[in-house]
Amino acid sequence: MPPAPDIDRRAVLRGLAAAVAALPALGTVAAPAASAAALGSWPVSTLEAFADTLVPGERRSSSDRAIAGAAPGPGAVQAGVIALLTSPELPLNPLLPGVAALLDARATAYAISRLILLPIDRPPFVGLSFDHRTTLVARLFQADDLDRAIWQLLAFLVGLAFDTAAHRHTAQALAEGHPGLVWTGFPPPDADGLWRYPAHSYGTALAEPHPATTPSGSPA
């Protein structure tokens, strides 16, 4: 079994946790262009394949290797997961090559244990079929996995990229047709750019507002 890459797992966890904490403010400003190109094609491909395993979508072209094409419609990659992970507003860029290398090391070990011959022209995780990727990722989330917390936080970011366009201002992302928001039917704002939701999600009000509640809905 190949050795795991020498990365500072505590630093990776701190970086991922800091990224999650910074996300609420990320979409409120126009972030600079993402630095995916500086990350390198192999780490990007590995991270895309991981994201596509969690939120799969259609291939971008017939030669797409990272996206397995396991589901119709857009997936996490089309929704901008790499733009989110590589945003200069988040502290992840220096950590992502190590995370990708760790995932590829786990994919290599998985392939060896099952006598799977991996292609040499792509990262090991990308070289796995979608079914094998899914089996491996499920193993990464088991309670006894040493790096489970890393994969959990990374998966959380993947989900946010698709479900909420966390790296974008929501109104702008909707106006520009963000694939995840459009696919899930996220409602557009009112004409002034604000969301008010006049209909109760349960069909009825669950409680009366406190009399000291401010007009903005905040507690006094």
Side-chain angles (χ1 to χ4, degrees):
M1 182 175 295
D6 184 17
I7 66 170
D8 187 338
R9 286 173 165 81
R10 292 194 178 194
V12 171
L13 282 173
R14 286 195 300 268
L16 287 167
V20 170
L23 281 175
L26 181 60
T28 62
V29 296
S35 55
L39 181 59
S41 61
W42 274 45
V44 166
S45 186
T46 296
L47 294 171
E48 284 183 339
F50 177 82
D52 180 67
T53 306
L54 297 172
V55 187
E58 297 173 344
R59 284 190 167 102
R60 292 163 289 190
S61 70
S62 59
S63 61
D64 200 335
R65 293 170 174 172
I67 297 179
V77 177
Q78 291 92 337
V81 66
I82 298 300
L84 169 60
L85 294 177
T86 60
S87 171
E89 302 296 320
L90 299 180
L92 292 181
N93 271 309
L95 306 173
L96 293 175
V99 173
L102 182 60
L103 184 57
D104 280 330
R106 296 297 297 270
T108 301
Y110 174 91
I112 291 173
S113 69
R114 288 161 176 78
L115 301 179
I116 298 172
L117 183 62
L118 293 172
I120 63 173
D121 61 345
R122 68 200 72 172
F125 188 82
V126 178
L128 293 174
S129 69
F130 184 78
D131 287 343
H132 285 303
R133 293 180 190 179
T134 301
T135 300
L136 173 56
V137 168
R139 177 67 187 85
L140 298 180
F141 287 111
Q142 291 185 9
D144 62 344
D145 190 88
L146 175 64
D147 300 310
R148 181 189 187 199
I150 292 176
W151 312 124
Q152 286 177 321
L153 286 170
L154 187 61
F156 182 63
L157 293 171
V158 169
L160 288 180
F162 185 84
D163 294 333
T164 71
H167 55 302
R168 308 273 307 278
H169 188 286
T170 306
Q172 182 181 4
L174 272 172
E176 296 176 358
H178 178 270
L181 297 181
V182 172
W183 185 261
T184 58
F186 196 92
D190 293 338
D192 58 2
L194 299 178
W195 282 265
R196 290 182 174 83
Y197 302 106
H200 300 293
S201 59
Y202 285 92
T204 184
L206 299 182
E208 294 295 328
H210 190 278
T213 302
T214 67
S216 68
S218 302

